[in-house]
Amino acid sequence: MAEEGIALPPYGYSMKRSRRARIVATLGPASRAPGMVKALAQAGVDVFRLNFSHGTHEDHAAALKAVRGAELALKRPLGVLADLQGPKLRLGKFKDVEIDIKPGHKMRFDLDATPGDATRVQMPHPEIFKALRTGMLLLLDDGRVRLRVNERADDWADVTVESGSKLSDRKGVAVPEAVVPVSALTPKDREDLAFALRIGVDWVALSFVQKAEDMAELKQIVKGRAACLAKIEKPQALLELESILDYCDGVMVARGDLGVELEPEEVPVAQKQIIRAARQRGVPVIVATQMLESMTASPAPTRAEASDVANAAYEGADALMLSAETASGDYPLESVGVMSRIIERVEKDPMWPSLMDAEHAGMDDFDADALVAAARKAAEAQSTACIVVFTTLGGTARRMARERPLQPVLALTPKPETARRLALVWGLETRLGKEPTSLEDVTEDAVNCAVEYDMAQPGQRILILAGTPFGAPGAANLLRLAHAPAKAKR
């Protein structure tokens, strides 16, 4: 059951981040124990990922419970992201488990379940055969084997090896030049999704999204019970990126599988394309995969990895993700600490503000966007300590984050689910607060919370962004200036 009874402590000491970009960490055998989860949150993790490609439902339920416990102990909202496995297209089996191949080797793929040999093997996916065309490229085993289609029918394809030396049982199949007509939600995904929603996750990530309809289907099932995130790891998704973003609460640059189907030189370009499109819309964007990969077995990263993390922070990504580094690696805490320090160093670079502004999102023609843009501009005055945003469902807070203000942003919400979803968003320090009922309530809560959470000193200017009528979800229509009191009142 979802943890409906757990409320975040709205007041009192609460750990504050000293950086804007957020950190997502994957939980696994090396990290899902309650003590380790709390330590990871203290070290800098804002959102914890449950990878449904591995582990049991019991494992994931225990991990979520540990996150909720850490949240209560640290008095800081923590998000939980359920990452669905998605469709896995694989070859069948070989009689001898593995065959030797070389460039020029010819063989057939078919639907026959008989164990294969060097001349033929099963590919149990009729939908792939229907999508293939003569001359198309096939990638096997994460791109280690490249094949070209010579001839095809609805139940077989003859191929020639272009590169590779060995091929073994159950290797993955990728078709980078075609949209394969398979649902992004497999029967396993549907079962995992129902379970994830039942235990109360905050985000759901859909793997191998190819088109907007994939996300529309997910949103229809979820019905607002969690925020929905698209993993961009197919070339076809890049072609449909804008329409996919129409259905997204968040997006992930999933560079592992994206790098299988794209040439290496195309992956950094795709990363920038996705980040830029997401930032323009104010959709939170995560950069993922191999960020500190060497730290699965080493206490320090390579210099190239440090640069990779820094570049994602310079690009303005909302969050950076650790996978095996925290799930199964030998140095989960060290990995989080290193990532956090790299981000902090980037954000101290005198050039960083101008880089943020260079990718500044264009303003939409809505009153709320105009008001948020005005708040960002007004906050640039040196005497402004912070911006306080009142938000019910998170829309106003996300609009503020899209502006990438350099001043701290405190987002106050009466809803725990909103606070947890906003844990993924750039620059927001989100806390639970009571529902305001008047302008006086808004002003008093804003200035008191700003002082109590150490985001303003007595006498400093605070900008307040809220919406009226109070207590009803809607766009911001109120911008107010106030000053922090000598002492917070509670």
Side-chain angles (χ1 to χ4, degrees):
M1 295 293 293
E3 303 274 350
E4 296 289 350
I6 290 182
L8 305 179
Y11 307 123
Y13 170 76
S14 183
M15 183 177 59
K16 186 180 71 172
R17 298 289 186 228
S18 56
R19 53 176 161 75
R20 277 82 159 190
R22 298 316 185 198
I23 293 176
V24 181
T26 305
L27 292 179
S31 55
R32 67 169 70 102
M36 178 58 80
V37 170
K38 181 181 176 183
L40 288 168
Q42 287 175 311
V45 177
D46 302 287
V47 176
F48 289 91
R49 171 179 174 246
L50 309 180
N51 184 1
F52 278 81
S53 294
H54 305 285
T56 66
H57 284 183
E58 290 74 19
D59 291 333
H60 297 313
L64 185 139
K65 185 176 181 180
V67 173
R68 298 298 186 233
E71 181 179 74
L72 284 170
L74 300 177
K75 300 181 181 179
R76 176 184 180 83
L78 300 170
V80 176
L81 166 69
D83 193 338
L84 304 177
Q85 177 175 287
K88 292 290 186 181
L89 305 176
R90 299 186 183 278
L91 290 182
K93 295 185 176 182
F94 290 96
K95 281 185 287 191
D96 297 323
V97 181
E98 183 179 84
I99 63 168
D100 292 323
I101 56 175
K102 62 183 180 180
H105 180 89
K106 297 182 185 299
M107 62 187 304
R108 172 170 286 197
F109 295 152
D110 56 37
L111 296 175
D112 183 355
T114 305
D117 54 28
T119 64
R120 61 148 300 276
V121 71
Q122 181 193 27
M123 188 161 68
H125 304 287
E127 58 273 17
I128 293 183
F129 293 118
K130 290 184 172 121
L132 291 180
R133 295 294 178 268
T134 300
M136 271 188 179
L137 180 68
L138 282 176
L139 300 173
L140 308 182
D141 193 12
D142 289 338
R144 294 179 181 89
V145 177
R146 296 168 63 95
L147 309 166
R148 192 70 61 177
V149 177
N150 300 325
E151 292 186 65
R152 45 80 52 200
D154 285 347
D155 56 357
W156 58 266
D158 287 339
V159 300
T160 299
V161 176
E162 289 192 343
S163 64
S165 60
K166 292 185 182 298
L167 192 55
S168 55
D169 285 352
R170 304 290 297 158
K171 291 304 181 187
V173 180
V175 192
E177 297 172 354
V179 175
V180 179
V182 294
S183 172
L185 281 166
T186 67
K188 170 180 162 48
D189 292 330
R190 293 174 187 276
E191 182 181 337
D192 290 341
L193 175 58
F195 172 77
L197 294 172
R198 192 162 62 248
I199 63 174
V201 302
D202 308 299
W203 285 85
V204 175
L206 184 61
S207 297
F208 301 109
V209 172
Q210 296 188 91
K211 54 192 184 301
E213 289 79 6
D214 295 334
M215 288 304 297
E217 183 181 9
L218 177 67
K219 296 274 279 191
Q220 186 175 24
I221 296 171
V222 172
K223 297 185 186 304
R225 290 173 286 174
C228 295
L229 182 146
K231 293 173 67 177
I232 306 300
E233 47 199 334
K234 303 282 288 182
Q236 294 77 19
L238 291 172
L239 299 175
E240 303 288 334
L241 184 59
E242 291 297 335
S243 60
I244 289 170
L245 287 174
D246 288 340
Y247 292 92
C248 286
D249 302 306
V251 65
M252 182 189 295
V253 188
R255 302 180 305 177
D257 283 287
L258 191 60
V260 171
E261 300 198 28
L262 287 179
E263 297 296 338
E265 66 271 18
E266 296 294 336
V267 176
V269 178
Q271 175 172 316
K272 290 184 181 296
Q273 176 190 348
I274 298 165
I275 292 174
R276 186 177 297 115
R279 282 193 56 187
Q280 285 291 322
R281 288 171 173 254
V283 173
V285 55
I286 304 171
V287 176
T289 318
Q290 297 176 333
M291 301 222 74
L292 296 174
E293 184 81 4
S294 69
M295 290 194 73
T296 56
S298 169
T302 67
R303 301 302 178 262
E305 288 169 337
S307 293
D308 186 33
V309 170
N311 284 334
Y314 276 119
E315 289 171 349
D318 288 79
L320 284 64
M321 194 174 95
L322 295 165
S323 299
E325 299 96 330
T326 53
S328 56
D330 295 333
Y331 301 96
L333 279 174
E334 291 84 351
S335 299
V336 173
V338 165
M339 179 171 276
S340 188
R341 293 198 304 274
I342 294 170
I343 297 170
E344 288 177 16
R345 179 62 186 89
V346 166
E347 294 178 1
K348 291 175 183 174
D349 182 356
M351 289 297 296
W352 177 72
S354 61
L355 291 169
M356 285 291 99
D357 203 50
E359 292 286 347
H360 188 254
M363 188 173 66
D364 293 331
D365 191 22
F366 298 111
D367 290 346
D369 291 295
L371 195 68
V372 168
R376 175 186 183 265
K377 191 68 178 175
E380 291 175 359
Q382 290 186 355
S383 56
T384 301
C386 70
I387 303 167
V388 179
V389 178
F390 286 84
T391 187
T392 302
L393 301 179
T396 300
R398 288 192 300 272
R399 278 187 166 98
M400 193 71 253
R402 185 177 75 161
E403 294 292 314
R404 295 297 191 259
L406 299 180
Q407 289 70 24
V409 179
L410 174 61
L412 297 175
T413 178
K415 293 183 173 292
E417 60 269 27
T418 297
R420 289 162 176 157
R421 292 178 193 180
L422 291 177
L424 184 66
V425 181
W426 188 97
L428 299 182
E429 285 293 320
T430 307
R431 301 292 183 272
L432 277 190
K434 64 183 181 182
E435 187 80 72
T437 57
S438 67
L439 183 58
E440 290 71 24
D441 272 354
V442 165
T443 305
E444 183 175 344
D445 284 352
V447 296
N448 285 335
C449 286
V451 171
E452 185 149 1
Y453 294 134
D454 195 29
M455 298 182 74
Q457 298 301 311
Q460 286 187 308
R461 179 189 296 161
I462 296 168
L463 285 174
I464 305 168
L465 198 60
T468 57
F470 300 114
N477 57 15
L478 172 68
L479 178 61
R480 192 171 202 198
L481 184 151
H483 289 84
K487 184 178 181 182
K489 298 175 183 178
R490 285 290 176 219

